[in-house]
Amino acid sequence: MNFNPKEQTARIAEYERRLKQLAAEKSQLQLYADLINRLSQAKGIDNVSYQIISLLMGTLGGNNITLFYTMDDTWHSMDAFRKVLVLDSAPENDVREVLANTKNVFLDDETDNYVLEADRVGNLSRGTTWIIPLIVEDEAIGAVKMEGMLVVRPDMMDHLKPFINYASLVLKNEIENYSELSTAYDDIKKINTVLSREVDERKKVQKNLLVSEERFKNTFENALVGMCLTTVDNNFLMVNPALCRMLGYKHNDLSGKKISTFTHPDDVALWSREIRTLLDNKVQSAYFETRYIHKSGEVIWASIGTFLFRDVQQEPQYFITHIEDITRRKKMEEDKIVLENQLQKTQKMEAIGILAGGIAHDFNNLLFPIMGMAELLLEDLPQGSLEHENAQQILNAGKRGGDLVKQILAFSRQSKQNKISIRIQQVLKEVFKLTRSTIPSDIEIVLDIQTDCGFVKADPTQIHQIAMNLITNAYHAIEQSGGKIIIHLKETVLETKDLVGSPLNPGKYAMLSVSDSGSGIDTAIRDKIFDPYFTTKERGKGTGLGLAVVYGIVKEHGGDIQIDSKMDKGTTVTVFFPLIENFHKDESVKKDQTLRKGTEQILLVDDEKAIIQIEKQVLERLGYQVTSFTSSLEALEFFSLHPERFDLVVTDMTMPNLSGDQLSKSLILIKPDLPIIICTGFSERMNKKKAEASGIKGFLTKPVSMFEMAKKVRCVLDEQNNIF
């Protein structure tokens, strides 16, 4: 197969360019996420307006930024010096054009031409005026005008849109809050003023009271926020239309009823406590947040401000309360917390993934010579001898070490799974035999297995690992006190109503659960049980990786895991795997374990001396002629002097000075048709797909068995020689 070095170099350059582009985009998106976070902390229309101006100026530059918005049918503006103006008329022509079209407008100072929607944004000079409309629900509520030396790029508007949309929403919310609440507060203040004059102005009270009642009625009935009057026993005396709409009831449905009837059960005590504080004359007014239940069953969050009116003898008469619906704000706050938690979890998993990759690489390099030497000893020692048995135990221990590396990589989601169509009950049968022989007989293990439970697409080794971890955890929970372990498997159908808070989609699933009758999991630590290295076991009993590994495997298989635990009653861990209807049952094929030999010349490169020695012994036993180097630079120098001498190169990936992929590129430039096999303990830079794309013919993951080495070397050489 011909190989074009220039084309490969171009591909690599494009790949590196794309990586840099993605990194730049990620940095830009993080910047705007930070801007949104900072804006969300601003309170009050002036602070919000100034924060929008400051954040845009800090991001885009410019000599001046002016924010225009309309409130109470009057235009206002604020500049970068926080100067607020009330305008006599609508803003200048360029701003009015933006508001009319609800589209961005650029003014190129060099040509003095307007550019709508930034069709030529890439050609604009740095001396540019950029006007952006602030739009909420297709309505322009204002605009931002930026002038001066702006940093404008073609992709700026796409990246800036989320911040502008959020800024528009926050600004509108502050405008509405200011407009709606100021009227209500002013009128209530007037009512309080009228009532406070009652003692000194008894003769005028009737006339003033009538005026006051009429004014109050108009305010009460037309207020945009909910308002009500309640007795000292918290029965509704009056409710305004806004409150009826908020709760979904008609006026007659609320009148005379207790406010606690419509309050969330968990908040009734809060209401009672606040009212008692007012009745005890400790304070005159109270402000707090609570929840109501809408007629539809929906939970409504509300901000409460309530005032207790007393007569001249200071006896409590009634409460007047304003109730503002803040459900949308609460939802935004909850979404923000969820996003922050997801970001923290992602960052934590990235850090652990880096650690796992480093452990995997070093551990596999240690296991390779151990397992390789054990295989050579097994060939040399007579079968049935004690020495042969000891060598077999060494090999078995090395394989278990390899499985441990796979567990670590599975946890960090960096390993490749061998997913096939399997029945979980078959795996459970093997796990039960193993665990029953190791768990004391006074611990009862009950199997409740649906024998015809359907197939799932999964890695049998990892399903085995999940079952072992869950059963072992259940045993440790009842090890001291004794008890029962129940293993349950059945098919189940999950509907939308069953999946609240779950990432799963409705459909058929295999449900595996392991229950114990232990002491349960304390609610204080329940959120930590999937964290890496967190364990409740005594020192030496656990690593804290068990449930973390299970969690990683389950998520990798498209499933979900749930914990149900009650103190002093026990714990149930339930795992869901999606069932497959149209499956291909993988037939077990007996592998040909014959070691395939050859006589070709092989260049062997690895910076680990122990690995070089074992690889060389294995290949020379197979008949190959081997030249080995522990320095990639020396290997490249030697090859450049004798390129026709070698039929194949086997190289490590991670080496000082010149890595395996870099060495391969240099060797292929010298001899384009040279077949190369890369062998790695673990590397994020190289996998089988990347190796094939780079023109590398073979890819092996350490530790490599003698059979795997022989098979891969022979296969690559035969393919090179067109032997099928």
Side-chain angles (χ1 to χ4, degrees), residues 295-324:
K295 185 177 182 179
S296 65
E298 179 187 358
V299 175
I300 305 296
W301 272 99
S303 175
I304 306 297
T306 185
F307 184 89
L308 174 60
F309 279 90
R310 299 175 181 270
D311 61 17
V312 292
Q313 284 80 33
Q314 292 300 303
E315 291 297 323
Q317 297 300 302
Y318 59 89
F319 294 97
I320 181 169
T321 305
H322 73 81
I323 305 171
E324 179 189 1

PDB file of all heavy atoms in Angstrom, residues 295-324:
ATOM      1  N   LYS A 295     -54.084  24.665  41.680  1.00  0.00           N
ATOM      2  CA  LYS A 295     -55.229  23.760  41.528  1.00  0.00           C
ATOM      3  C   LYS A 295     -54.864  22.529  40.701  1.00  0.00           C
ATOM      4  O   LYS A 295     -55.360  21.424  40.936  1.00  0.00           O
ATOM      5  CB  LYS A 295     -56.397  24.511  40.879  1.00  0.00           C
ATOM      6  CG  LYS A 295     -57.681  23.692  40.797  1.00  0.00           C
ATOM      7  CD  LYS A 295     -58.819  24.520  40.210  1.00  0.00           C
ATOM      8  CE  LYS A 295     -60.112  23.700  40.177  1.00  0.00           C
ATOM      9  NZ  LYS A 295     -61.246  24.488  39.620  1.00  0.00           N
ATOM     10  N   SER A 296     -53.938  22.706  39.760  1.00  0.00           N
ATOM     11  CA  SER A 296     -53.490  21.593  38.914  1.00  0.00           C
ATOM     12  C   SER A 296     -52.534  20.655  39.631  1.00  0.00           C
ATOM     13  O   SER A 296     -52.177  19.604  39.110  1.00  0.00           O
ATOM     14  CB  SER A 296     -52.804  22.146  37.666  1.00  0.00           C
ATOM     15  OG  SER A 296     -51.612  22.844  38.028  1.00  0.00           O
ATOM     16  N   GLY A 297     -52.081  21.032  40.835  1.00  0.00           N
ATOM     17  CA  GLY A 297     -51.108  20.230  41.568  1.00  0.00           C
ATOM     18  C   GLY A 297     -49.693  20.751  41.446  1.00  0.00           C
ATOM     19  O   GLY A 297     -48.790  20.272  42.138  1.00  0.00           O
ATOM     20  N   GLU A 298     -49.505  21.737  40.588  1.00  0.00           N
ATOM     21  CA  GLU A 298     -48.169  22.299  40.395  1.00  0.00           C
ATOM     22  C   GLU A 298     -47.748  23.105  41.627  1.00  0.00           C
ATOM     23  O   GLU A 298     -48.562  23.763  42.272  1.00  0.00           O
ATOM     24  CB  GLU A 298     -48.176  23.202  39.166  1.00  0.00           C
ATOM     25  CG  GLU A 298     -46.841  23.862  38.871  1.00  0.00           C
ATOM     26  CD  GLU A 298     -46.931  24.875  37.739  1.00  0.00           C
ATOM     27  OE1 GLU A 298     -48.032  25.017  37.174  1.00  0.00           O
ATOM     28  OE2 GLU A 298     -45.912  25.529  37.452  1.00  0.00           O
ATOM     29  N   VAL A 299     -46.449  23.033  41.949  1.00  0.00           N
ATOM     30  CA  VAL A 299     -45.913  23.786  43.079  1.00  0.00           C
ATOM     31  C   VAL A 299     -45.549  25.196  42.611  1.00  0.00           C
ATOM     32  O   VAL A 299     -44.852  25.372  41.610  1.00  0.00           O
ATOM     33  CB  VAL A 299     -44.675  23.090  43.674  1.00  0.00           C
ATOM     34  CG1 VAL A 299     -44.050  23.949  44.773  1.00  0.00           C
ATOM     35  CG2 VAL A 299     -45.053  21.718  44.227  1.00  0.00           C
ATOM     36  N   ILE A 300     -46.038  26.205  43.327  1.00  0.00           N
ATOM     37  CA  ILE A 300     -45.788  27.609  43.005  1.00  0.00           C
ATOM     38  C   ILE A 300     -44.915  28.212  44.098  1.00  0.00           C
ATOM     39  O   ILE A 300     -45.273  28.179  45.281  1.00  0.00           O
ATOM     40  CB  ILE A 300     -47.104  28.414  42.906  1.00  0.00           C
ATOM     41  CG1 ILE A 300     -48.063  27.776  41.903  1.00  0.00           C
ATOM     42  CG2 ILE A 300     -46.809  29.868  42.550  1.00  0.00           C
ATOM     43  CD1 ILE A 300     -47.573  27.778  40.489  1.00  0.00           C
ATOM     44  N   TRP A 301     -43.768  28.755  43.714  1.00  0.00           N
ATOM     45  CA  TRP A 301     -42.906  29.472  44.657  1.00  0.00           C
ATOM     46  C   TRP A 301     -43.357  30.932  44.722  1.00  0.00           C
ATOM     47  O   TRP A 301     -43.667  31.539  43.691  1.00  0.00           O
ATOM     48  CB  TRP A 301     -41.451  29.409  44.221  1.00  0.00           C
ATOM     49  CG  TRP A 301     -40.704  28.219  44.725  1.00  0.00           C
ATOM     50  CD1 TRP A 301     -40.433  27.076  44.063  1.00  0.00           C
ATOM     51  CD2 TRP A 301     -40.117  28.086  46.026  1.00  0.00           C
ATOM     52  NE1 TRP A 301     -39.717  26.210  44.860  1.00  0.00           N
ATOM     53  CE2 TRP A 301     -39.507  26.811  46.070  1.00  0.00           C
ATOM     54  CE3 TRP A 301     -40.052  28.904  47.156  1.00  0.00           C
ATOM     55  CZ2 TRP A 301     -38.841  26.341  47.193  1.00  0.00           C
ATOM     56  CZ3 TRP A 301     -39.383  28.441  48.272  1.00  0.00           C
ATOM     57  CH2 TRP A 301     -38.787  27.179  48.296  1.00  0.00           C
ATOM     58  N   ALA A 302     -43.398  31.498  45.938  1.00  0.00           N
ATOM     59  CA  ALA A 302     -43.859  32.877  46.090  1.00  0.00           C
ATOM     60  C   ALA A 302     -43.005  33.618  47.101  1.00  0.00           C
ATOM     61  O   ALA A 302     -42.512  33.043  48.073  1.00  0.00           O
ATOM     62  CB  ALA A 302     -45.321  32.900  46.520  1.00  0.00           C
ATOM     63  N   SER A 303     -42.837  34.939  46.834  1.00  0.00           N
ATOM     64  CA  SER A 303     -42.184  35.843  47.784  1.00  0.00           C
ATOM     65  C   SER A 303     -43.284  36.574  48.548  1.00  0.00           C
ATOM     66  O   SER A 303     -44.159  37.201  47.936  1.00  0.00           O
ATOM     67  CB  SER A 303     -41.287  36.831  47.047  1.00  0.00           C
ATOM     68  OG  SER A 303     -40.756  37.776  47.949  1.00  0.00           O
ATOM     69  N   ILE A 304     -43.249  36.490  49.871  1.00  0.00           N
ATOM     70  CA  ILE A 304     -44.332  37.001  50.708  1.00  0.00           C
ATOM     71  C   ILE A 304     -43.872  38.243  51.460  1.00  0.00           C
ATOM     72  O   ILE A 304     -42.784  38.274  52.038  1.00  0.00           O
ATOM     73  CB  ILE A 304     -44.789  35.934  51.732  1.00  0.00           C
ATOM     74  CG1 ILE A 304     -45.154  34.630  51.019  1.00  0.00           C
ATOM     75  CG2 ILE A 304     -45.935  36.449  52.579  1.00  0.00           C
ATOM     76  CD1 ILE A 304     -46.309  34.749  50.063  1.00  0.00           C
ATOM     77  N   GLY A 305     -44.744  39.261  51.465  1.00  0.00           N
ATOM     78  CA  GLY A 305     -44.584  40.413  52.347  1.00  0.00           C
ATOM     79  C   GLY A 305     -45.914  40.635  53.054  1.00  0.00           C
ATOM     80  O   GLY A 305     -46.922  40.889  52.388  1.00  0.00           O
ATOM     81  N   THR A 306     -45.976  40.509  54.361  1.00  0.00           N
ATOM     82  CA  THR A 306     -47.250  40.611  55.079  1.00  0.00           C
ATOM     83  C   THR A 306     -47.133  41.613  56.225  1.00  0.00           C
ATOM     84  O   THR A 306     -46.077  41.717  56.874  1.00  0.00           O
ATOM     85  CB  THR A 306     -47.696  39.232  55.609  1.00  0.00           C
ATOM     86  OG1 THR A 306     -48.983  39.340  56.192  1.00  0.00           O
ATOM     87  CG2 THR A 306     -46.721  38.672  56.631  1.00  0.00           C
ATOM     88  N   PHE A 307     -48.228  42.345  56.451  1.00  0.00           N
ATOM     89  CA  PHE A 307     -48.264  43.391  57.481  1.00  0.00           C
ATOM     90  C   PHE A 307     -49.506  43.184  58.341  1.00  0.00           C
ATOM     91  O   PHE A 307     -50.607  42.934  57.826  1.00  0.00           O
ATOM     92  CB  PHE A 307     -48.296  44.772  56.828  1.00  0.00           C
ATOM     93  CG  PHE A 307     -48.241  45.907  57.804  1.00  0.00           C
ATOM     94  CD1 PHE A 307     -47.025  46.429  58.212  1.00  0.00           C
ATOM     95  CD2 PHE A 307     -49.421  46.465  58.336  1.00  0.00           C
ATOM     96  CE1 PHE A 307     -46.974  47.484  59.122  1.00  0.00           C
ATOM     97  CE2 PHE A 307     -49.361  47.507  59.239  1.00  0.00           C
ATOM     98  CZ  PHE A 307     -48.136  48.021  59.638  1.00  0.00           C
ATOM     99  N   LEU A 308     -49.342  43.275  59.647  1.00  0.00           N
ATOM    100  CA  LEU A 308     -50.457  43.096  60.579  1.00  0.00           C
ATOM    101  C   LEU A 308     -51.015  44.465  60.987  1.00  0.00           C
ATOM    102  O   LEU A 308     -50.294  45.305  61.528  1.00  0.00           O
ATOM    103  CB  LEU A 308     -49.983  42.333  61.822  1.00  0.00           C
ATOM    104  CG  LEU A 308     -51.002  42.187  62.953  1.00  0.00           C
ATOM    105  CD1 LEU A 308     -52.240  41.427  62.470  1.00  0.00           C
ATOM    106  CD2 LEU A 308     -50.378  41.494  64.150  1.00  0.00           C
ATOM    107  N   PHE A 309     -52.313  44.666  60.699  1.00  0.00           N
ATOM    108  CA  PHE A 309     -52.981  45.896  61.112  1.00  0.00           C
ATOM    109  C   PHE A 309     -53.584  45.714  62.508  1.00  0.00           C
ATOM    110  O   PHE A 309     -54.209  44.683  62.796  1.00  0.00           O
ATOM    111  CB  PHE A 309     -54.093  46.271  60.123  1.00  0.00           C
ATOM    112  CG  PHE A 309     -53.574  46.965  58.906  1.00  0.00           C
ATOM    113  CD1 PHE A 309     -53.193  46.241  57.783  1.00  0.00           C
ATOM    114  CD2 PHE A 309     -53.453  48.348  58.878  1.00  0.00           C
ATOM    115  CE1 PHE A 309     -52.712  46.878  56.669  1.00  0.00           C
ATOM    116  CE2 PHE A 309     -52.970  48.996  57.760  1.00  0.00           C
ATOM    117  CZ  PHE A 309     -52.591  48.257  56.650  1.00  0.00           C
ATOM    118  N   ARG A 310     -53.401  46.736  63.349  1.00  0.00           N
ATOM    119  CA  ARG A 310     -53.962  46.724  64.699  1.00  0.00           C
ATOM    120  C   ARG A 310     -54.878  47.946  64.880  1.00  0.00           C
ATOM    121  O   ARG A 310     -54.703  48.980  64.215  1.00  0.00           O
ATOM    122  CB  ARG A 310     -52.849  46.747  65.750  1.00  0.00           C
ATOM    123  CG  ARG A 310     -51.918  45.536  65.684  1.00  0.00           C
ATOM    124  CD  ARG A 310     -50.764  45.674  66.664  1.00  0.00           C
ATOM    125  NE  ARG A 310     -49.863  44.526  66.593  1.00  0.00           N
ATOM    126  CZ  ARG A 310     -49.996  43.423  67.333  1.00  0.00           C
ATOM    127  NH1 ARG A 310     -50.995  43.337  68.219  1.00  0.00           N
ATOM    128  NH2 ARG A 310     -49.150  42.426  67.212  1.00  0.00           N
ATOM    129  N   ASP A 311     -55.828  47.849  65.810  1.00  0.00           N
ATOM    130  CA  ASP A 311     -56.701  48.990  66.090  1.00  0.00           C
ATOM    131  C   ASP A 311     -56.014  49.932  67.081  1.00  0.00           C
ATOM    132  O   ASP A 311     -54.843  49.722  67.440  1.00  0.00           O
ATOM    133  CB  ASP A 311     -58.062  48.521  66.592  1.00  0.00           C
ATOM    134  CG  ASP A 311     -57.963  47.716  67.885  1.00  0.00           C
ATOM    135  OD1 ASP A 311     -56.901  47.801  68.558  1.00  0.00           O
ATOM    136  OD2 ASP A 311     -58.911  46.984  68.206  1.00  0.00           O
ATOM    137  N   VAL A 312     -56.755  50.968  67.530  1.00  0.00           N
ATOM    138  CA  VAL A 312     -56.149  51.961  68.413  1.00  0.00           C
ATOM    139  C   VAL A 312     -55.753  51.367  69.755  1.00  0.00           C
ATOM    140  O   VAL A 312     -54.891  51.899  70.457  1.00  0.00           O
ATOM    141  CB  VAL A 312     -57.113  53.148  68.627  1.00  0.00           C
ATOM    142  CG1 VAL A 312     -57.274  53.939  67.348  1.00  0.00           C
ATOM    143  CG2 VAL A 312     -58.468  52.675  69.163  1.00  0.00           C
ATOM    144  N   GLN A 313     -56.391  50.252  70.110  1.00  0.00           N
ATOM    145  CA  GLN A 313     -56.011  49.557  71.344  1.00  0.00           C
ATOM    146  C   GLN A 313     -54.890  48.541  71.098  1.00  0.00           C
ATOM    147  O   GLN A 313     -54.578  47.735  71.973  1.00  0.00           O
ATOM    148  CB  GLN A 313     -57.228  48.838  71.949  1.00  0.00           C
ATOM    149  CG  GLN A 313     -58.214  49.751  72.643  1.00  0.00           C
ATOM    150  CD  GLN A 313     -59.121  50.448  71.641  1.00  0.00           C
ATOM    151  OE1 GLN A 313     -59.449  49.880  70.607  1.00  0.00           O
ATOM    152  NE2 GLN A 313     -59.514  51.694  71.944  1.00  0.00           N
ATOM    153  N   GLN A 314     -54.351  48.554  69.854  1.00  0.00           N
ATOM    154  CA  GLN A 314     -53.267  47.661  69.467  1.00  0.00           C
ATOM    155  C   GLN A 314     -53.692  46.190  69.428  1.00  0.00           C
ATOM    156  O   GLN A 314     -52.869  45.279  69.530  1.00  0.00           O
ATOM    157  CB  GLN A 314     -52.060  47.816  70.399  1.00  0.00           C
ATOM    158  CG  GLN A 314     -51.350  49.154  70.278  1.00  0.00           C
ATOM    159  CD  GLN A 314     -50.813  49.370  68.868  1.00  0.00           C
ATOM    160  OE1 GLN A 314     -50.039  48.561  68.346  1.00  0.00           O
ATOM    161  NE2 GLN A 314     -51.254  50.457  68.238  1.00  0.00           N
ATOM    162  N   GLU A 315     -55.009  45.991  69.237  1.00  0.00           N
ATOM    163  CA  GLU A 315     -55.485  44.625  69.073  1.00  0.00           C
ATOM    164  C   GLU A 315     -55.366  44.230  67.598  1.00  0.00           C
ATOM    165  O   GLU A 315     -55.737  44.998  66.703  1.00  0.00           O
ATOM    166  CB  GLU A 315     -56.946  44.508  69.523  1.00  0.00           C
ATOM    167  CG  GLU A 315     -57.152  44.666  71.014  1.00  0.00           C
ATOM    168  CD  GLU A 315     -56.464  43.568  71.785  1.00  0.00           C
ATOM    169  OE1 GLU A 315     -56.444  42.416  71.306  1.00  0.00           O
ATOM    170  OE2 GLU A 315     -55.928  43.867  72.875  1.00  0.00           O
ATOM    171  N   PRO A 316     -54.849  43.019  67.310  1.00  0.00           N
ATOM    172  CA  PRO A 316     -54.706  42.584  65.913  1.00  0.00           C
ATOM    173  C   PRO A 316     -56.062  42.531  65.201  1.00  0.00           C
ATOM    174  O   PRO A 316     -57.042  42.038  65.765  1.00  0.00           O
ATOM    175  CB  PRO A 316     -54.091  41.183  66.039  1.00  0.00           C
ATOM    176  CG  PRO A 316     -53.477  41.156  67.403  1.00  0.00           C
ATOM    177  CD  PRO A 316     -54.334  42.022  68.263  1.00  0.00           C
ATOM    178  N   GLN A 317     -56.095  43.058  63.964  1.00  0.00           N
ATOM    179  CA  GLN A 317     -57.330  43.078  63.192  1.00  0.00           C
ATOM    180  C   GLN A 317     -57.263  42.157  61.962  1.00  0.00           C
ATOM    181  O   GLN A 317     -58.088  41.280  61.797  1.00  0.00           O
ATOM    182  CB  GLN A 317     -57.627  44.516  62.750  1.00  0.00           C
ATOM    183  CG  GLN A 317     -57.877  45.468  63.913  1.00  0.00           C
ATOM    184  CD  GLN A 317     -59.063  45.039  64.757  1.00  0.00           C
ATOM    185  OE1 GLN A 317     -60.177  44.915  64.254  1.00  0.00           O
ATOM    186  NE2 GLN A 317     -58.823  44.803  66.045  1.00  0.00           N
ATOM    187  N   TYR A 318     -56.303  42.377  61.114  1.00  0.00           N
ATOM    188  CA  TYR A 318     -56.187  41.554  59.907  1.00  0.00           C
ATOM    189  C   TYR A 318     -54.790  41.748  59.315  1.00  0.00           C
ATOM    190  O   TYR A 318     -54.055  42.666  59.675  1.00  0.00           O
ATOM    191  CB  TYR A 318     -57.251  41.914  58.867  1.00  0.00           C
ATOM    192  CG  TYR A 318     -57.212  43.347  58.398  1.00  0.00           C
ATOM    193  CD1 TYR A 318     -56.427  43.717  57.311  1.00  0.00           C
ATOM    194  CD2 TYR A 318     -57.956  44.324  59.049  1.00  0.00           C
ATOM    195  CE1 TYR A 318     -56.383  45.030  56.892  1.00  0.00           C
ATOM    196  CE2 TYR A 318     -57.923  45.643  58.634  1.00  0.00           C
ATOM    197  CZ  TYR A 318     -57.127  45.993  57.546  1.00  0.00           C
ATOM    198  OH  TYR A 318     -57.080  47.295  57.133  1.00  0.00           O
ATOM    199  N   PHE A 319     -54.456  40.822  58.419  1.00  0.00           N
ATOM    200  CA  PHE A 319     -53.175  40.889  57.702  1.00  0.00           C
ATOM    201  C   PHE A 319     -53.427  41.329  56.267  1.00  0.00           C
ATOM    202  O   PHE A 319     -54.404  40.896  55.635  1.00  0.00           O
ATOM    203  CB  PHE A 319     -52.489  39.516  57.658  1.00  0.00           C
ATOM    204  CG  PHE A 319     -52.056  39.002  58.999  1.00  0.00           C
ATOM    205  CD1 PHE A 319     -52.856  38.112  59.713  1.00  0.00           C
ATOM    206  CD2 PHE A 319     -50.854  39.394  59.551  1.00  0.00           C
ATOM    207  CE1 PHE A 319     -52.464  37.629  60.943  1.00  0.00           C
ATOM    208  CE2 PHE A 319     -50.444  38.914  60.776  1.00  0.00           C
ATOM    209  CZ  PHE A 319     -51.254  38.026  61.484  1.00  0.00           C
ATOM    210  N   ILE A 320     -52.569  42.176  55.733  1.00  0.00           N
ATOM    211  CA  ILE A 320     -52.557  42.462  54.305  1.00  0.00           C
ATOM    212  C   ILE A 320     -51.241  41.923  53.756  1.00  0.00           C
ATOM    213  O   ILE A 320     -50.167  42.189  54.308  1.00  0.00           O
ATOM    214  CB  ILE A 320     -52.729  43.954  53.991  1.00  0.00           C
ATOM    215  CG1 ILE A 320     -52.729  44.169  52.471  1.00  0.00           C
ATOM    216  CG2 ILE A 320     -51.651  44.807  54.663  1.00  0.00           C
ATOM    217  CD1 ILE A 320     -53.163  45.560  52.052  1.00  0.00           C
ATOM    218  N   THR A 321     -51.368  41.150  52.715  1.00  0.00           N
ATOM    219  CA  THR A 321     -50.206  40.398  52.216  1.00  0.00           C
ATOM    220  C   THR A 321     -50.096  40.547  50.709  1.00  0.00           C
ATOM    221  O   THR A 321     -51.111  40.457  49.992  1.00  0.00           O
ATOM    222  CB  THR A 321     -50.350  38.896  52.562  1.00  0.00           C
ATOM    223  OG1 THR A 321     -50.547  38.761  53.966  1.00  0.00           O
ATOM    224  CG2 THR A 321     -49.121  38.119  52.139  1.00  0.00           C
ATOM    225  N   HIS A 322     -48.896  40.799  50.237  1.00  0.00           N
ATOM    226  CA  HIS A 322     -48.655  40.737  48.779  1.00  0.00           C
ATOM    227  C   HIS A 322     -47.839  39.483  48.481  1.00  0.00           C
ATOM    228  O   HIS A 322     -46.926  39.119  49.234  1.00  0.00           O
ATOM    229  CB  HIS A 322     -47.968  42.004  48.257  1.00  0.00           C
ATOM    230  CG  HIS A 322     -46.526  42.136  48.617  1.00  0.00           C
ATOM    231  ND1 HIS A 322     -45.524  41.509  47.938  1.00  0.00           N
ATOM    232  CD2 HIS A 322     -45.926  42.858  49.602  1.00  0.00           C
ATOM    233  CE1 HIS A 322     -44.367  41.818  48.469  1.00  0.00           C
ATOM    234  NE2 HIS A 322     -44.566  42.628  49.497  1.00  0.00           N
ATOM    235  N   ILE A 323     -48.211  38.832  47.403  1.00  0.00           N
ATOM    236  CA  ILE A 323     -47.654  37.519  47.063  1.00  0.00           C
ATOM    237  C   ILE A 323     -47.166  37.574  45.624  1.00  0.00           C
ATOM    238  O   ILE A 323     -47.975  37.651  44.687  1.00  0.00           O
ATOM    239  CB  ILE A 323     -48.709  36.406  47.239  1.00  0.00           C
ATOM    240  CG1 ILE A 323     -49.277  36.442  48.671  1.00  0.00           C
ATOM    241  CG2 ILE A 323     -48.127  35.036  46.917  1.00  0.00           C
ATOM    242  CD1 ILE A 323     -50.466  35.527  48.884  1.00  0.00           C
ATOM    243  N   GLU A 324     -45.855  37.510  45.440  1.00  0.00           N
ATOM    244  CA  GLU A 324     -45.264  37.581  44.091  1.00  0.00           C
ATOM    245  C   GLU A 324     -44.823  36.189  43.649  1.00  0.00           C
ATOM    246  O   GLU A 324     -44.121  35.476  44.377  1.00  0.00           O
ATOM    247  CB  GLU A 324     -44.064  38.522  44.091  1.00  0.00           C
ATOM    248  CG  GLU A 324     -43.385  38.615  42.729  1.00  0.00           C
ATOM    249  CD  GLU A 324     -42.079  39.383  42.783  1.00  0.00           C
ATOM    250  OE1 GLU A 324     -41.702  39.828  43.889  1.00  0.00           O
ATOM    251  OE2 GLU A 324     -41.435  39.515  41.723  1.00  0.00           O
TER     252      GLU A 324
END
